[in-house]
Amino acid sequence: GQNIDQPTEMTATEGAIVQINCTYQTSGFNGLFWYQQHAGEAPTFLSYNVLDGLEEKGRFSSFLSRSKGYSYLLLKELQMKDSASYLCAAMDSNYQLIWGAGTKLIIKP
Amino acid sequence: GAVVSQHPSRVICKSGTSVKIECRSLDFQATTMFWYRQFPKQSLMLMATSNEGSKATYEQGVEKDKFLINHASLTLSTLTVTSAHPEDSSFYICSASGDRGEIEAFFGQGTRLTVV
């Protein structure tokens, strides 16, 4: 079956770095997405990886290893506004998104 | 990024009534729209996929007669929750993909439905 695993909740300190991991199993693979979702709002796109390696975009970076079925989202210089849920989603061979349950990130001063 | 507008953002309705939620792509033509529901602290659950001008494809377990989806134009899709019950209370989100070339999905703002 198709499955996405990510931690339920993480806590980090303002100004620090946090890494949110995601493992996936899909029927075929057409890329891995990370979205940010604040409570009561719709998800907003953060990153897309389809090739192995690290993609850096400002304070946020995303990494993919296709052979391991593994990705992580790295957030640097954490700010209070980064408190949100981070959703990992893998696109299968039918271009359908398989969503993880999300990781709630709590930032403490 | 592309703009997808969803309306209303919040709605409270009485049990047994119907509620219509609209999803519009404002600056691109959405050939495909997706409807999700999300319960608190849970993932997005795909309900159905709709392509302009054709019948929606519903996911297993989603009642097509209860959740009516219409995608009559390239910029508008609607979800009607018919004969709503309290268990239908949820966060409904649409997303759209289309002719802009980006692979990411663009989401509407979501609709918080409360059935009393």
Side-chain angles (χ1 to χ4, degrees):
Chain A
Q2 305 199 102
N3 191 51
I4 305 286
D5 282 317
Q6 56 181 127
T8 305
E9 187 174 296
M10 298 182 71
T11 302
T13 304
E14 189 176 16
I17 299 173
V18 71
Q19 177 174 311
I20 303 174
N21 297 323
C22 170
T23 57
Y24 64 89
Q25 287 181 305
T26 55
S27 301
F29 180 73
N30 279 300
L32 193 290
F33 296 78
W34 284 96
Y35 281 81
Q36 181 191 60
Q37 186 178 25
H38 285 99
E41 298 181 12
T44 55
F45 172 75
L46 291 178
S47 67
Y48 170 69
N49 295 65
V50 68
L51 300 176
D52 286 352
L54 186 68
E55 296 272 349
E56 297 186 70
K57 193 186 293 184
R59 295 189 298 115
F60 292 6
S61 302
S62 56
F63 171 83
L64 176 68
S65 169
R66 294 177 65 137
S67 62
K68 295 181 179 178
Y70 167 70
S71 173
Y72 68 72
L73 179 70
L74 190 72
L75 293 77
K76 303 176 185 176
E77 301 169 19
L78 286 170
Q79 301 175 11
M80 297 303 292
K81 67 178 182 178
D82 297 329
S83 292
S85 286
Y86 291 85
L87 304 174
C88 171
M91 184 173 275
D92 67 13
S93 57
N94 294 320
Y95 294 93
Q96 179 161 322
L97 286 174
I98 312 301
W99 292 89
T103 298
K104 182 179 180 181
L105 178 62
I106 299 169
I107 310 294
K108 295 186 174 178
Chain B
V3 178
V4 175
S5 176
Q6 186 174 340
H7 177 82
S9 58
R10 290 180 180 272
V11 59
I12 300 173
C13 71
K14 290 184 177 180
S15 186
T17 61
S18 296
V19 173
K20 180 185 282 189
I21 302 170
E22 292 188 348
C23 182
R24 292 179 184 274
S25 57
L26 299 185
D27 57 353
F28 69 105
Q29 295 187 320
T31 50
T32 306
M33 285 190 171
F34 305 88
W35 287 95
Y36 294 89
R37 66 187 297 181
Q38 186 178 34
F39 292 105
K41 299 183 181 180
Q42 294 188 23
S43 183
L44 296 170
M45 186 192 81
L46 180 65
M47 298 175 67
T49 303
S50 72
N51 294 294
E52 184 267 337
S54 62
K55 289 185 178 180
T57 302
Y58 289 80
E59 296 299 303
Q60 194 171 10
V62 178
E63 299 174 59
K64 61 182 180 182
D65 293 331
K66 180 170 182 62
F67 298 98
L68 301 177
I69 292 172
N70 183 281
H71 192 164
S73 76
L74 284 170
T75 59
L76 174 65
S77 177
T78 60
L79 166 67
T80 302
V81 183
T82 63
S83 187
H85 288 98
E87 57 264 32
D88 298 325
S89 298
S90 187
F91 190 55
Y92 292 87
I93 312 175
C94 70
S95 74
S97 62
D99 62 357
R100 289 173 56 112
E102 300 97 336
I103 194 167
E104 71 266 30
F106 299 99
F107 286 86
Q109 302 94 320
T111 298
R112 172 72 59 191
L113 171 63
T114 304
V115 184
V116 298

